């Protein structure tokens, strides 16, 4: 009977629909006992709270429904099926004024995100696959960081990400009030539970994202509504879940309940069954802080508000230069904004000093509380920049306890910013020449000298590549908290080395530290570094600058003066008068002074290598006698004397000086 057949068919359809419904949906009112596929820092608490990341630094976490869903229509090939999901989540920062990163609802063809990066990559992509259509990832990001790299609109937004962190559509977090139609702002990283709805209608290709505070009913007007053809994004079977990540700051990203459904409206969540939010210690801490430091918190809040206003109003204030070739340096790049914040807007108050290459500011990275020194180097020429940045990044990989760690860089128009570890005791020249500070003892000086020698040996011989410092001098030696000497600023001179034209030879370095052959050839070598190190040795032992324009002849050139004394047999008379009263083995000072002369040998072949220098300083080998011929050679070549004239005319006080030899030589 046809009617019976129809009825049976109808029943079959209903049944298959029912079973596919069973396949195509789930509801978690809390996650206790839920079968989820978790990785990284993701976990489910005994209460049933899903922590996608816990408060761990640079952590990444993912949580996926273990079984994939079918997202492609069989009947209409090329069409993506409709789906709908809703979840209640909270982003709980450890400290309200330092934000972690966001939480993302993800639809992905894989659950393997092992090559994805944390921080701004949200645990979804890395710098090589970000934006690649073969990712097959749809993300709805709740983003709490303004990342200029991905054209983020602000640091509190909801965005639709298709295979890329550069959102196809995004807007500030909030909801449209049903009664008034007005947009109400919401704060994502507030630690308060909020509900998100994501609905996709396959035929119209309409994707809506809606959010509201819990337990408000779903607002009628979605926050975001985009028409997106997802058919090339979705593969036949796709996983649904969450991804989130922390930077150096500690934030917990948690999901309390989650409902999902293919081809229909996700079942509402039962708020009564959702687990409670963690009682956050941080709130406790904050409250305590607020009790003890109400003014400070107020000031901080004002600072944050002011910064946010600034961000919104003057985006281009933070504009940076970022080119394709820099992508591989992602981890070494700092955003200008972060550096701006770290140094309180490069306020004079944070200025540590200025040298030949630029001004140096002290700062605290907002994301990690790490103290840094930020050097602003003005640089107009883009020529050689790629090469230079490659060198900077490779220098960033140097690790030695006598080298100031370079943490990364940032580029702006006409400017390069370099981020270093902060050295609390500043540079050595301040200790040597600032009469208001107590003099360094000989033991301290000798330790600094040995430290610098060992750092330079590492650069010259012990690292995989030969690195030439090019500007060794007391003001480029920084002192850490234990007064160990650390070399800073290496390689920077190179920035000015490129693009020498036929008429002008720019030579970088500082008067009195320049090897004679450098002035002739312009080519820096390990031996020109050794020459500068020799001048540095004399500087530390004698407590005098290599060139003292205001001094009386024959004391203008330290090297000449020490040499004179050596010839007369009164070498030790050149020691720093501030060491009077200090008791120490004078042989050490004698070694240092003689070594200073040896390293200052006018011919590069007459100078020792840094390894030999180390042996002499450690007393492992005895110093050779200075060659008799040495005494008869005018140490500073005419060229230096010519340069000196310019120097004396153009500069009276500057510590670090860049000079230029011009003329068609
Ligand atoms: C975060 O989770 C990881 C891995 O589950 C664990 O080792 C770590 O102790 C947790 N950290 C905190 C602060 O809970
Ligand atoms: C969790 O789900 C996966 C995939 O469906 C399944 O293989 C596994 O047996 C389930 N585990 C439990 C404990 O139910
Ligand atoms: C980026 O992720 C892709 C896809 O997982 C992977 O093939 C690639 O090796 C990763 N690249 C890096 C630099 O980690
Ligand atoms: C996208 O990724 C695929 C596979 O990983 C790779 O073959 C392709 O070159 C990538 N495309 C771009 C533009 O990077
Ligand atoms: C909501 O935030 C935006 C900036 O994100 C701001 O322009 C607007 O004034 C805010 N609205 C309210 C009602 O606070
Ligand atoms: C998206 O929002 C629009 C506007 O409110 C509405 O007309 C449409 O039905 C919604 N689509 C989905 C899939 O929810
Ligand atoms: C982005 O979302 C807004 C708000 O829903 C909507 O008006 C706009 O058309 C969307 N833009 C695109 C490109 O989808
Ligand atoms: C959506 O994209 C697919 C492939 O990218 C294409 O075949 C299809 O025609 C598109 N659908 C519409 C309605 O444009």
């Amino acid at each position: 009977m046809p009617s019976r057949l129809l009825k049976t068919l109808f029943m079959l359809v209903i049944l298959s629909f029912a079973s596919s419904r069973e396949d195509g949906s789930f509801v978690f009112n809390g996650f206790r006992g839920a079968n989820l596929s978790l990785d990284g820092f993701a976990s489910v608490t005994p209460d049933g709270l899903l922590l996608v990341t816990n408060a761990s630094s640079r952590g990444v976490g993912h949580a996926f429904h273990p079984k994939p869903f079918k997202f492609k229509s069989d009947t209409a090939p090329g069409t993506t099926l409709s789906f709908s999901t809703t979840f209640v989540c909270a982003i709980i920062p450890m400290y309200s004024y330092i934000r972690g990163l966001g939480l993302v609802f993800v639809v992905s063809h894989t659950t393997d995100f092992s090559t994805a990066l944390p921080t701004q990559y949200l645990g979804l992509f890395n710098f090589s696959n970000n934006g690649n259509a073969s990712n097959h990832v749809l993300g709805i990001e709740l983003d709490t960081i303004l990342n200029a790299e991905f054209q983020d609109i602000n640091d509190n937004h909801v965005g639709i990400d298709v295979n890329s962190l550069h959102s196809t559509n995004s807007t500030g977090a909030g909801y449209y009030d049903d009664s008034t139609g007005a947009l109400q702002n919401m704060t994502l990283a507030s630690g308060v539970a909020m509900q998100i709805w994501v609905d996709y209608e396959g035929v119209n290709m309409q994707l809506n994202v809606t959010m509201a505070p819990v337990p408000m009913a779903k607002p009628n007007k979605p926050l975001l509504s985009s028409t997106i053809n997802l058919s090339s994004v979705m593969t036949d079977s796709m996983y649904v879940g969450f991804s989130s990540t922390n930077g150096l700051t500690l934030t917990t990203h948690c999901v309390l309940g989650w409902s999902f459904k293919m081809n229909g409206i996700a079942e509402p969540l039962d708020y009564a069954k959702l687990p409670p939010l963690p009682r956050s210690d941080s709130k406790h801490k904050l409250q305590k802080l607020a009790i003890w430091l109400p003014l400070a918190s107020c000031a901080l809040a004002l600072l944050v508000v002011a910064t946010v206003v600034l961000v919104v109003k003057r985006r281009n204030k933070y504009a940076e230069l970022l080119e394709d070739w820099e992508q591989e340096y992602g981890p070494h790049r700092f955003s200008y904004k972060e550096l701006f914040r770290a140094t309180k807007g490069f306020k004079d108050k944070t200025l540590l000093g200025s040298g030949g290459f630029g001004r140096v500011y002290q700062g605290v990275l907002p994301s990690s509380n790490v103290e840094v020194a930020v050097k602003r180097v003005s640089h107009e020429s883009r020529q050689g920049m790629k090469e230079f940045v490659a060198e900077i990044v490779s220098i960033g990989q140097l690790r030695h306890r006598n080298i100031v760690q370079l943490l990364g860089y940032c580029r702006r128009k006409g400017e390069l910013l370099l981020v270093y570890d902060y050295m609390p005791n500043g540079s050595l020249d301040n200790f040597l020449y600032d009469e208001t500070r107590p003099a360094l003892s000989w033991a301290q000086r000798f330790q600094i000298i040995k430290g610098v020698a060992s750092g330079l040996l590492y650069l010259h011989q012990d690292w995989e590549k030969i690195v030439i410092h090019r500007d060794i001098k007391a003001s480029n030696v920084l002192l850490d908290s234990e007064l160990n000497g650390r070399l800073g600023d290496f390689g920077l001179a190179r920035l000015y080395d490129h693009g020498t034209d036929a008429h002008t030879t720019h030579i970088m370095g500082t008067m009195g530290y320049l090897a004679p052959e450098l002035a002739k050839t312009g080519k820096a070598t390990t031996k020109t570094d050794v020459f500068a190190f020799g001048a540095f040795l004399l500087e530390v032992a004698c407590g005098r600058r290599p060139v003292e324009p205001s001094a009386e002849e024959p004391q203008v050139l330290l090297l000449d003066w020490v040499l004179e004394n050596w010839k007369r047999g009164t070498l030790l008379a050149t020691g720093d008068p501030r060491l009077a009263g200090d008791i120490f083995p004078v042989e050490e000072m004698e070694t240092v002074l003689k070594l200073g002369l040896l390293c200052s040998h006018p011919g590069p072949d007459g100078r020792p290598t840094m390894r030999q220098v180390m042996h002499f300083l450690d007393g492992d080998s005895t110093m050779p006698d200075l060659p008799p011929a040495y005494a008869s050679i005018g140490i500073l070549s005419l060229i230096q004397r010519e340069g000196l004239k310019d120097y004396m005319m153009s500069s009276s006080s500057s510590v670090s000086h860049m000079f230029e030899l011009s003329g068609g030589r």
Side-chain angles (χ1 to χ4, degrees):
M1 268 188 146
S3 68
R4 195 174 209 148
L5 192 65
L6 268 176
K7 215 171 174 180
T8 320
L9 269 174
F10 186 66
M11 282 301 290
L12 274 174
V13 168
I14 293 279
L15 276 176
S16 74
F17 186 46
S19 78
S20 90
R21 261 178 65 163
E22 207 157 76
D23 271 358
S25 74
F26 57 80
V27 185
F28 295 113
N29 287 301
F31 293 88
R32 205 182 308 182
N35 183 3
L36 294 175
S37 122
L38 303 177
D39 71 30
F41 288 95
S43 63
V44 174
T45 66
D47 274 355
L49 194 65
L50 167 60
L51 304 182
V52 188
T53 51
N54 61 17
S56 290
S57 150
R58 288 184 95 85
V60 180
H62 299 100
F64 283 95
H65 187 268
K67 280 200 286 188
F69 291 93
K70 185 172 161 48
F71 272 76
K72 285 267 163 120
S73 162
D74 286 335
T75 49
T79 309
T80 303
L81 296 175
S82 302
F83 66 90
S84 150
T85 191
T86 182
F87 54 93
V88 170
C89 64
I91 300 177
I92 310 168
M94 180 89 89
Y95 302 106
S96 61
Y97 50 93
I98 311 174
R99 299 187 165 181
L101 289 103
L103 176 73
V104 193
F105 168 73
V106 188
V107 183
S108 162
H109 82 298
T110 175
T111 58
D112 178 8
F113 285 91
S114 52
T115 58
L117 294 173
T119 62
Q120 72 266 38
Y121 291 92
L122 297 172
L124 288 179
F125 307 115
N126 58 37
F127 35 78
S128 63
N129 72 353
N130 183 31
N132 191 321
S134 70
N135 289 334
H136 298 291
V137 170
L138 168 72
I140 307 299
E141 64 171 35
L142 308 177
D143 194 342
T144 55
I145 293 280
L146 186 155
N147 198 307
E149 202 178 335
F150 307 130
Q151 281 92 51
D152 283 355
I153 51 164
N154 62 22
D155 60 359
N156 184 50
H157 61 272
V158 178
I160 299 171
D161 297 348
V162 177
N163 293 326
S164 164
L165 292 159
H166 182 181
S167 304
T168 58
N169 202 356
S170 65
T171 186
Y175 65 93
Y176 291 97
D177 190 303
D178 279 348
S179 50
T180 65
L183 177 66
Q184 303 291 317
N185 288 342
M186 286 174 68
T187 303
L188 296 173
S190 62
V192 172
M194 54 199 165
Q195 185 165 8
I196 317 293
W197 293 264
V198 178
D199 301 284
Y200 186 69
E201 216 285 300
V203 174
N204 305 328
M205 305 186 299
Q206 191 168 41
L207 180 65
N208 290 353
V209 181
T210 315
M211 70 184 293
V214 173
M216 184 186 275
K218 181 181 180 184
N220 289 324
K221 183 175 175 190
L223 178 63
L224 275 177
S225 179
S226 276
T227 304
I228 303 182
N229 184 351
L230 290 178
S231 94
S232 59
V233 181
M234 301 298 183
T235 55
D236 197 43
S237 109
M238 300 285 283
Y239 293 90
V240 291
F242 299 94
S243 174
S244 76
T245 161
N246 268 322
L248 294 166
T249 56
L250 308 180
T251 301
T252 306
H253 300 91
C254 56
V255 182
L256 293 77
W258 180 24
S259 162
F260 177 87
K261 184 173 166 122
M262 294 298 305
N263 299 309
I265 304 292
E267 207 174 287
L269 295 169
D270 183 346
Y271 299 132
K273 290 188 185 153
L274 299 183
L277 277 174
R279 211 187 68 82
S280 100
D281 292 342
S282 63
K283 273 192 194 151
H284 222 62
K285 274 185 206 155
L286 280 178
Q287 272 162 14
K288 268 194 193 157
L289 265 179
I291 290 163
W292 293 112
L293 301 166
L295 283 177
S297 326
C298 254
L300 259 166
L302 278 175
L303 188 76
V304 169
V305 168
T307 316
V308 166
V309 168
L310 274 175
V311 162
V312 172
K313 277 194 179 164
R314 317 222 308 252
R315 281 281 315 263
N316 64 351
K317 185 172 183 170
Y318 299 127
E320 307 172 10
L321 283 183
L322 180 67
E323 292 175 79
D324 285 348
W325 53 264
E326 288 182 82
Q327 296 209 346
E328 58 177 302
Y329 304 135
H332 297 284
R333 260 199 78 108
F334 283 84
S335 72
Y336 182 68
K337 185 181 171 188
E338 186 169 16
L339 301 182
F340 190 88
R341 284 191 170 177
T343 56
K344 309 206 163 58
F346 297 99
K347 281 260 163 55
D348 281 350
K349 224 171 51 193
T350 65
L351 186 67
L352 288 171
S354 38
F357 293 109
R359 290 149 86 81
V360 188
Y361 296 83
Q362 181 189 0
V364 177
L365 292 179
S367 58
S368 56
N369 260 347
V370 169
E371 269 191 296
V372 293
V374 181
K375 180 156 223 164
R376 297 185 82 145
V377 183
S378 75
H379 184 66
E380 286 306 332
S381 146
R382 307 251 316 257
Q383 193 186 15
M385 186 46 98
K386 188 169 174 178
E387 217 176 277
F388 179 72
V389 167
E391 185 163 315
I392 285 290
V393 169
S394 88
I395 283 169
Q397 286 157 9
L398 298 171
R399 293 284 183 283
H400 191 280
R401 85 195 139 81
N402 296 110
I403 280 176
V404 181
Q405 178 72 44
L406 176 70
L407 301 172
Y409 77 101
C410 170
R411 286 203 307 137
R412 301 188 89 203
K413 194 163 177 293
E415 197 177 31
L416 180 72
L417 292 95
L418 298 168
V419 185
Y420 296 94
D421 264 350
Y422 173 65
M423 292 289 122
N425 277 315
S427 64
L428 175 59
D429 62 331
N430 290 334
F431 275 88
L432 290 178
Y433 306 120
D434 184 348
E435 302 282 338
T436 63
R437 296 199 194 201
L440 290 169
S441 71
W442 176 256
Q444 287 168 328
R445 292 179 202 221
F446 199 51
Q447 176 186 306
I448 291 166
I449 286 171
K450 289 213 280 200
V452 171
S454 124
L456 193 55
L457 171 61
Y458 174 74
L459 293 182
H460 282 181
Q461 279 172 288
D462 290 345
W463 198 52
E464 58 199 47
K465 279 188 270 189
I466 294 175
V467 178
I468 296 171
H469 186 291
R470 290 158 193 263
D471 200 11
I472 292 163
K473 57 180 170 183
S475 57
N476 277 342
V477 169
L478 297 155
L479 300 179
D480 66 16
S481 52
E482 287 154 1
L483 288 181
N484 288 304
R486 294 191 187 214
L487 271 172
D489 257 4
F490 32 89
L492 255 196
R494 195 176 156 74
L495 189 57
Y496 293 88
D497 242 26
H498 307 286
T500 27
D501 62 41
H503 306 292
T504 321
T505 314
H506 297 267
I507 293 163
M508 277 310 307
T510 304
M511 268 307 296
Y513 299 88
L514 288 176
E517 78 273 16
L518 186 61
K520 286 207 202 87
T521 64
K523 192 172 179 322
T525 62
T526 53
K527 290 294 168 115
T528 58
D529 267 1
V530 170
F531 184 94
F533 179 74
F536 165 78
L537 288 179
L538 300 182
E539 182 173 14
V540 178
C542 306
R544 284 198 32 201
R545 295 197 168 88
V547 180
E548 202 77 73
S550 59
E552 281 173 27
E553 291 277 5
Q555 301 205 1
V556 176
L557 297 177
L558 178 59
L559 181 54
D560 280 356
W561 183 59
V562 176
L563 199 59
E564 285 299 319
N565 277 283
W566 171 67
K567 285 192 233 165
R568 283 204 303 263
T570 53
L571 188 59
L572 285 172
T574 59
D576 190 348
R578 295 179 83 197
L579 285 169
D582 191 4
I583 297 166
F584 58 91
V586 288
E587 316 81 69
E588 278 179 11
M589 185 188 270
E590 200 170 355
T591 303
V592 167
L593 288 167
K594 274 194 182 165
L595 191 54
L597 292 178
L598 193 63
C599 292
S600 305
H601 196 286
D605 296 335
R607 295 171 210 150
T609 64
M610 281 317 292
R611 182 154 334 269
Q612 289 169 320
V613 166
M614 249 354 263
H615 287 320
F616 300 146
L617 287 174
D618 287 338
D620 294 342
S621 30
T622 36
M623 288 258 297
D625 280 335
L626 294 173
Y630 193 80
S632 63
I633 304 171
I635 293 304
L636 288 171
S637 68
L638 256 177
I639 292 164
Q640 283 227 345
R641 286 193 174 269
E642 272 174 22
L644 181 65
K645 268 190 251 150
D646 297 344
Y647 177 86
M648 290 171 79
M649 285 190 302
S650 68
S651 150
S652 48
S653 62
S654 124
V655 180
S656 126
H657 189 69
M658 167 168 55
F659 85 107
E660 194 173 280
L661 291 169
S662 41
R665 77 181 67 243

